[in-house]
Amino acid sequence: MSRREQKEKKKSKKIIIIIFLMIAITLVVGIIIWKKYNDEPLNQVQEAKEEAKIVAEKRQTIMKVQARLVNVTDEEGKLDVEKLNNNLSQIEGRQDWEQIESVPAVIIVDGYRIRIDENLQANLVEEEDSIRGVTAKIEVGQVAKENSTINGNENGYNNPIIPKGFKAINTEKAVWSDLNGYENGLIIEDATEDKTTNGSQFVWVPVKNYKDFHLIEGYSDKKISNMLSNGLNPSREAGSSESELLPGKPNKKNTVKGTKESIEMYESVKANGGFYIARYEAGIEDESKKDIQDGSQKPVSKKQNVWNNIAWGGDTEVKATDQLQGDDQIAGAVTVARSMYNNPISEHVNNKTTVKSTLCYGVQWDATLNFINDSYIKGEVEGYIKDSTNKGNFSKKIEQTGSTEDYMKKNIYDIAGNVSEWTMEAYETQYRVLRGGNYKGIGSISPASSRYIENPSKSDDTIGFRVALYL
């Protein structure tokens, strides 16, 4: 065979190989396309079947609950709660066994949240509502039977939850239905019918930017202080994590490992966009009971006699839950504050409401002042927070909390003056921190943002406290 014939033969082979490759590629592409367009309907059919199955399961669960909402009224047609709970206890697949005290109410059946409304109709609580924890719309002045919002929309810093057992209260400036009402201090009032706390009021403190939820340096004698920045053991308190020292601002030494209470509080603020602070300094209706500080006597947040002459809660040894000085498991302001509603450390339970009560944390105090004047966090503040002259009781005589309108900011009374208030902050190795001045002080020297330290066992008539709530 000549060289030319050999070349032609090789060329023919190459052409045949190329043709085969092209055919193979075409076949592969064709198979992929065929598979794509033939599998897609199959997938759609399968998905449709699964969705239909879920819808059927939900419908069956609702019908199962609805079937138990019969014969639960008395002769006058009023709801018989005992009959209702007896019927609901017989539902197969019910996962929560808490007794229902009234309707509307939410129960969990087959993993679904089912809402029973006032007309004894069962409805599914959609997953998105379940995630944000809001299942009902409520009117101003109406007592919440479950965590609710005024507009029924997703809660946040500008649309706070009205907790179970409370009702929203309008004031001249802070109107719940106003778009920017939250900027003026929205108020909730205890309607749990507790003989002591009923009528106590709390103000919503919005935290627009969670990154700003940390301790802020206060002022003393019109100058910025250094209690957060100086020393090996500056002002500090339990933070937002068990494993990390967070948030650690403005100084990395300001935060210690979190407790169950502090971690829950931080998580709640992050999730809900804020917290509630007592409108008034902690009060007591019967002053003869001030020495009952073991949690059996609850405080109030009303225009009332101030609960002063109270220690933080123990000696200077390290016995506290946050591993700092003091003992928060014995009589004192911490124990009394935790007794007001629910608390994870004291394990106090109040089924009438969902809120948890604590002694005000330093970070909550600072967030409240930043709510009053958002220049505080920038270190540029003037006026009330830097100099509280004529904006708090420094008259040398103690007053009932809430006595003077001029001493109110954002619907919160007596943040400056009257009594210095214990917080959860600690300082150095043996002190706890009080915030704000007292009636024996001077507004320019001890303004609302000032820090004042004492042994945790210290008590006198210039010292009180304030309760804070989280969801």
Side-chain angles (χ1 to χ4, degrees):
M1 184 180 292
S2 67
R3 188 174 293 176
R4 183 177 177 182
E5 288 174 335
Q6 287 177 348
K7 285 183 179 180
E8 289 293 328
K9 189 174 182 180
K10 286 182 180 179
K11 186 177 180 181
S12 298
K13 285 182 179 180
K14 286 182 180 179
I15 292 171
I16 292 169
I17 290 170
I18 291 170
I19 291 170
F20 272 113
L21 285 172
M22 290 178 65
I23 292 170
I25 291 169
T26 303
L27 285 171
V28 170
V29 171
I31 290 169
I32 291 171
I33 293 172
W34 179 86
K35 185 173 179 59
K36 179 179 184 297
Y37 284 99
N38 281 273
D39 282 355
E40 201 165 83
L42 291 174
N43 291 336
Q44 290 175 350
V45 170
Q46 184 62 32
E47 287 175 3
K49 285 182 178 179
E50 290 175 357
E51 288 177 4
K53 182 180 178 182
I54 292 172
V55 170
E57 286 178 354
K58 290 178 179 179
R59 188 183 298 114
Q60 186 176 1
T61 299
I62 293 171
M63 291 173 64
K64 185 161 57 173
V65 175
Q66 191 66 57
R68 294 293 179 179
L69 299 180
V70 296
N71 301 322
V72 293
T73 56
D74 58 21
E75 294 178 355
E76 297 178 0
K78 294 181 180 179
L79 177 66
D80 187 323
V81 177
E82 186 175 345
K83 288 181 180 178
L84 175 62
N85 280 300
N86 182 58
N87 279 13
L88 296 179
S89 69
Q90 299 175 49
I91 297 177
E92 184 180 353
R94 183 177 175 189
Q95 294 168 240
D96 64 319
W97 294 99
E98 184 178 343
Q99 293 285 301
I100 290 175
E101 297 178 357
S102 59
V103 290
V106 175
I107 62 174
I108 300 174
V109 180
D110 299 334
Y112 298 113
R113 297 184 75 204
I114 306 298
R115 184 172 186 264
I116 302 169
D117 67 20
E118 297 91 338
N119 299 316
L120 296 177
Q121 294 297 310
N123 295 286
L124 180 72
V125 177
E126 294 297 338
E127 185 178 358
E128 59 180 11
D129 290 328
S130 176
I131 291 172
R132 64 177 178 249
V134 178
T135 59
K137 179 179 178 180
I138 197 168
E139 302 294 330
V140 173
Q142 182 182 357
V143 181
K145 302 300 182 183
E146 56 185 296
N147 288 355
S148 310
T149 60
I150 287 294
N151 54 21
N153 295 335
E154 183 175 359
N155 65 290
Y157 71 86
N158 58 350
N159 190 36
I161 287 175
I162 295 92
K164 174 184 175 181
F166 283 77
K167 59 184 178 182
I169 302 293
N170 280 338
T171 62
E172 184 178 347
K173 292 183 178 179
V175 178
W176 278 85
S177 57
D178 285 358
L179 183 63
N180 297 317
Y182 74 96
E183 294 179 345
N184 300 313
L186 296 173
I187 297 172
I188 57 170
E189 184 175 291
D190 183 327
T192 61
E193 299 182 356
D194 181 282
K195 64 180 181 180
T196 302
T197 65
N198 199 62
S200 290
Q201 295 183 344
F202 298 83
V203 175
W204 176 249
V205 178
V207 177
K208 296 182 182 180
N209 298 307
Y210 181 69
K211 65 180 178 61
D212 293 336
F213 191 55
H214 57 74
L215 297 173
I216 303 173
E217 195 75 81
Y219 289 80
S220 177
D221 198 12
K222 298 183 182 180
K223 300 180 183 68
I224 196 162
S225 179
N226 58 11
M227 288 185 68
L228 299 179
S229 56
N230 275 7
L232 295 175
N233 292 292
S235 286
R236 62 209 186 280
E237 68 184 1
S240 60
S241 169
E242 273 190 349
S243 58
E244 299 177 87
L245 303 187
L246 298 172
K249 294 179 180 179
N251 179 345
K252 65 181 181 180
K253 296 177 181 178
N254 294 139
T255 318
V256 298
K257 188 166 67 172
T259 65
K260 187 173 183 180
E261 178 184 87
S262 71
I263 291 169
E264 279 192 5
M265 183 272 289
Y266 272 95
E267 288 177 347
S268 174
V269 170
K270 186 176 184 179
N272 297 298
F275 60 93
Y276 284 101
I277 193 167
R279 190 181 188 195
Y280 304 92
E281 294 167 320
I284 189 165
E285 295 178 343
D286 185 350
E287 289 195 278
S288 68
K289 296 182 178 179
K290 277 185 180 179
D291 291 336
I292 304 175
Q293 300 176 5
D294 60 357
S296 59
Q297 175 65 42
K298 297 179 184 178
V300 299
S301 177
K302 308 175 188 178
K303 189 177 290 187
Q304 192 53 263
N305 300 315
V306 176
W307 193 334
N308 56 355
N309 284 297
I310 187 168
W312 183 88
D315 52 35
T316 57
E317 294 181 31
V318 178
K319 296 180 180 178
T321 310
D322 58 11
Q323 302 303 303
L324 298 170
Q325 47 283 343
D327 189 346
D328 59 348
Q329 304 293 304
I330 62 172
V334 184
T335 299
V336 173
R338 287 172 176 165
S339 74
M340 196 169 186
Y341 297 107
N342 298 285
N343 186 272
I345 290 180
S346 66
E347 298 182 347
H348 189 271
V349 175
N350 183 340
N351 291 323
K352 300 265 184 195
T353 184
T354 52
V355 295
K356 295 174 182 177
S357 58
T358 69
L359 181 68
C360 185
Y361 276 74
V363 68
Q364 292 175 313
W365 187 279
D366 283 330
T368 301
L369 294 184
N370 203 52
F371 171 45
I372 291 171
N373 184 338
D374 61 10
S375 292
Y376 177 46
I377 197 169
K378 304 170 188 175
E380 302 169 354
V381 71
E382 293 292 338
Y384 173 77
I385 292 172
K386 187 175 182 179
D387 181 356
S388 298
T389 303
N390 299 323
K391 297 300 180 184
N393 176 26
F394 301 99
S395 67
K396 312 303 178 187
K397 182 181 178 182
I398 198 167
E399 296 180 354
Q400 276 196 341
T401 180
S403 296
T404 306
E405 294 296 305
D406 288 342
Y407 303 161
M408 179 183 72
K409 292 286 184 181
K410 302 280 191 178
N411 277 326
I412 306 166
Y413 285 96
D414 301 312
I415 286 284
N418 213 33
V419 292
S420 297
E421 301 175 29
W422 286 117
T423 65
M424 292 300 291
E425 280 189 56
Y427 183 76
E428 292 188 347
T429 57
Q430 72 260 40
Y431 303 112
R432 287 287 171 169
V433 176
L434 300 108
R435 301 299 299 271
N438 61 67
Y439 70 92
K440 290 182 179 179
I442 298 172
S444 60
I445 295 176
S446 301
S449 63
S450 63
R451 286 177 166 86
Y452 170 55
I453 60 173
E454 279 290 0
N455 291 329
S457 58
K458 171 75 173 182
S459 65
D460 66 34
D461 58 1
T462 66
I463 295 176
F465 65 104
R466 190 178 300 257
V467 176
L469 308 179
Y470 68 91
L471 296 160

